[in-house]
Amino acid sequence: MNRTTLSLIGAATALAAVTGVASLTAGSSEGPAQPVAKAARRLPVERSTLLCPTPTSSEVGSTTYTAYTPTGNGTGAGAGAGAKKGTAGLLPAQAPDDESASGPKDGEQGGEKSGQKGARKGGSDKAGEPVVPLKEPGKPVTAETDRSDAPALIGNADGSLAPGWTVQQTTTVAAGTGRGLLGTACAAPDTNFWFPGISTAKDRQDYVHLTNPDDSAAEVDLKLYGEEGRLKPSTDEAITVPGRSTVPVLLSTLTDAEAADATLRVSARSGRVGATVQAVDQTFGSDWLPASAEPSTSVVLPGIPADATSVRLVAFAPGANDADLKVRLAGRNSAITPAGHESLHVKSGMTAWVDFGDLTKGEAGSLVLTAEGGEGTAAPVVAALRVTRGKGTDQETAFIPATTGIERTATAADNRAKGSTLSLVAPDGSAKVRVTASAGSGGGRPVSKTIEVKGGTTVAAEPPHPASGKGGYAVTVERISGGPVYASRMLALPQGGIPMFTIQALPDDRATVEVPAARQDLSLLNDAGQ
């Protein structure tokens, strides 16, 4: 093969490589100077996907869905005026067509076919109409159902409705083992999830709900870790989730070990899924346990209620090294070290827990875990809190997973006229945020107020209400200035003397992304042909 042929092949290869590819350099020292690349622009996302788990199989349960997209200028809470009109809605996921998919009701154990241990029916075989379809940003839409066979939901939003699209699923179960208020923000699909705080004990029935938004099947591994490391599996931990389907799995069927406090890892070998754990306790009611934030050497768990009667921390170190953590409680006026719990040692590959009792002593707060010995030698962890309110037989529980800070905006979609508490914590320096209540689902006007959070403290307050509004409404938190801010929202709906409540952490909504400036640079062909 001669040199000319090699040059032609090289030129063709280079052409294929650079067609449509950005050149971000300022050019070489030879020849005419090339224009300097422009800085990346922050633009609204164009498409969002959310997955809502099967709400309940209880005959005495009712579920409310609330969907909302904030308004904004394209760099804040929503899309700008130039964004195309969008669509947003959710459709039922399908139940896998085998015996294990029909599974047990709450509190019962089910079959073992196809490795789907203890699965419960999670979908309908009819697509139906979209649930909570949005028409415009800035106005929430709600829908209710009392069906015991209400399906899991798969949804997409695009155009002006995609940036910051949020859907809240809130279920009230009036009686029975699973009684309580169960709330969760419908989450985006991913390939890896950590759930510290799960249990395989006899008094708990924990299901992980796996929902596949895509047409092709997803292969998912489930691994459990206790105080002494990996819990020995009693069955194949690999789960197949068919396309556009949901598969709930009872965690106690994956191992013979009874662990009161354990950690679940969900990892997809192929495809992607949404994953959320439904924890049902015979004494403390039930709620959803969302995934923890990615492993980190600094962990924030915001929004412990002032009247919490019990606070239990569960942490797991997924890396090769043990983790040593400083423990601080960021209260109303300052950050303190809980007496007798100044630090926490978490062994590699093992789950550790601490029972703080009534940690907050009548004052709302947030737990902050930071690495001892500096970031350079620190090991990352995942963590979650189990929070209990009430006494005796009138107790109710909720979970607070470690969450990410608000870079720009975050939204809690379902708020009522009474019962909402917004918690904001600035673990480092002071920060300022703008809190906006949307119009209600039945009308009204948005209302905003600015809140300053001092460094090392937690501010817990009722969020503003829409002016002249009726129905449910959304609350959006926008960070204006200062250090990192973490947030959660507690919704309390007491019933029959039981202080039913649920807490949702508010991570950044990722409404915008950085898009690098790009241009074609065909001068690369000259180099390839030489």
Side-chain angles (χ1 to χ4, degrees):
M1 188 177 291
N2 59 33
R3 183 171 180 178
T4 302
T5 304
L6 288 171
S7 297
L8 290 173
I9 293 175
T13 302
L15 180 60
V18 302
T19 301
V21 177
S23 171
L24 300 179
T25 64
S28 66
S29 58
E30 298 179 3
Q34 299 296 319
V36 176
K38 297 180 180 179
R41 294 184 299 165
R42 182 164 287 276
L43 299 175
V45 299
E46 297 180 353
R47 186 175 177 83
S48 297
T49 298
L50 294 177
L51 309 174
C52 306
T54 306
T56 181
S57 61
S58 173
E59 298 290 342
V60 291
S62 62
T63 298
T64 299
Y65 298 96
T66 306
Y68 179 72
T69 294
T71 57
N73 60 9
T75 58
K84 69 176 182 178
K85 186 176 181 180
T87 60
L90 302 107
L91 291 172
Q94 303 300 306
D97 189 17
D98 61 29
E99 294 177 5
S100 67
S102 61
K105 294 290 185 180
D106 287 322
E108 298 177 358
Q109 299 208 2
E112 303 180 8
K113 187 174 181 180
S114 301
Q116 295 169 5
K117 303 278 288 184
R120 290 189 294 135
K121 186 173 182 180
S124 168
D125 57 1
K126 296 181 180 180
E129 295 296 322
V131 177
V132 287
L134 285 179
K135 302 296 184 182
E136 58 182 321
K139 183 178 180 180
V141 175
T142 63
E144 297 182 357
T145 181
D146 58 2
R147 288 174 50 188
S148 61
D149 63 344
L153 301 175
I154 300 173
N156 292 292
D158 58 24
S160 62
L161 296 176
W165 182 47
T166 303
V167 180
Q168 169 84 11
Q169 174 181 298
T170 307
T171 301
T172 302
V173 178
T177 302
R179 67 105 177 103
L181 184 65
L182 300 87
T184 185
C186 302
D190 208 336
T191 58
N192 193 52
F193 304 86
W194 293 98
F195 295 95
I198 64 97
S199 176
T200 61
K202 288 183 178 180
D203 58 356
R204 281 271 291 271
Q205 300 257 324
D206 288 11
Y207 288 87
V208 60
H209 289 243
L210 306 172
T211 305
N212 180 1
D214 302 317
D215 293 330
S216 57
E219 298 294 329
V220 180
D221 285 335
L222 305 178
K223 292 183 172 63
L224 298 170
Y225 300 86
E227 291 183 74
E228 297 181 359
R230 177 84 179 274
L231 297 182
K232 184 178 180 180
S234 60
T235 184
D236 185 6
E237 296 170 297
I239 303 294
T240 298
V241 186
R244 309 289 297 178
S245 296
T246 187
V247 176
V249 181
L250 181 61
L251 297 182
S252 60
T253 61
L254 297 176
T255 180
D256 293 329
E258 291 188 25
D261 299 284
T263 299
L264 167 68
R265 183 182 186 182
V266 177
S267 55
R269 297 186 198 174
S270 63
R272 57 178 187 159
V273 295
T276 309
V277 171
Q278 186 183 44
V280 180
D281 192 287
Q282 293 182 3
T283 303
F284 302 112
S286 59
D287 205 351
W288 292 101
L289 169 59
S292 169
E294 288 294 310
S296 175
T297 56
S298 179
V299 173
V300 180
L301 304 108
I304 304 171
D307 61 350
T309 53
S310 175
V311 177
R312 192 178 186 91
L313 168 68
V314 181
F316 177 78
N321 298 321
D322 295 356
D324 289 291
L325 303 167
K326 296 179 182 179
V327 180
R328 291 183 299 155
L329 176 67
R332 181 175 58 189
N333 299 313
S334 63
I336 64 171
T337 300
H341 301 291
E342 295 81 5
S343 62
L344 175 64
H345 180 73
V346 186
K347 294 182 179 180
S348 171
M350 301 183 187
T351 298
W353 60 270
V354 178
D355 196 340
F356 291 102
D358 56 341
L359 175 67
T360 54
K361 304 294 185 182
E363 180 180 302
S366 303
L367 207 62
V368 180
L369 309 178
T370 55
E372 291 186 334
E375 295 287 334
T377 58
V381 297
V382 292
L385 294 175
R386 189 183 78 182
V387 178
T388 303
R389 299 171 67 225
K391 296 181 179 180
T393 58
D394 296 332
Q395 295 186 75
E396 168 74 326
T397 191
F399 296 91
I400 305 174
T403 187
T404 57
I406 300 175
E407 295 182 13
R408 286 173 172 78
T409 56
T411 298
D414 183 5
N415 295 275
R416 316 289 174 92
K418 295 181 180 180
S420 291
T421 302
L422 179 67
S423 292
L424 305 164
V425 56
D428 301 319
S430 297
K432 185 179 294 186
V433 301
R434 180 182 296 112
V435 179
T436 301
S438 73
S441 58
R445 301 185 307 278
V447 173
S448 297
K449 72 175 181 180
T450 300
I451 298 177
E452 185 171 353
V453 187
K454 294 181 180 180
T457 70
T458 296
V459 172
E462 182 179 359
H465 296 246
S468 304
K470 295 182 179 180
Y473 65 100
V475 171
T476 298
V477 180
E478 180 183 0
R479 188 170 72 89
I480 300 173
S481 62
V485 177
Y486 298 76
S488 70
R489 189 284 318 269
M490 181 177 78
L491 180 62
L493 301 175
Q495 188 175 111
I498 300 173
M500 292 188 179
F501 75 113
T502 182
I503 299 173
Q504 280 72 57
L506 303 182
D508 190 87
D509 60 17
R510 300 180 181 177
T512 60
V513 292
E514 286 190 352
V515 179
R519 65 180 178 83
Q520 292 183 344
D521 186 1
L522 298 181
S523 65
L524 293 174
L525 294 176
N526 294 330
D527 296 331
Q530 294 176 359

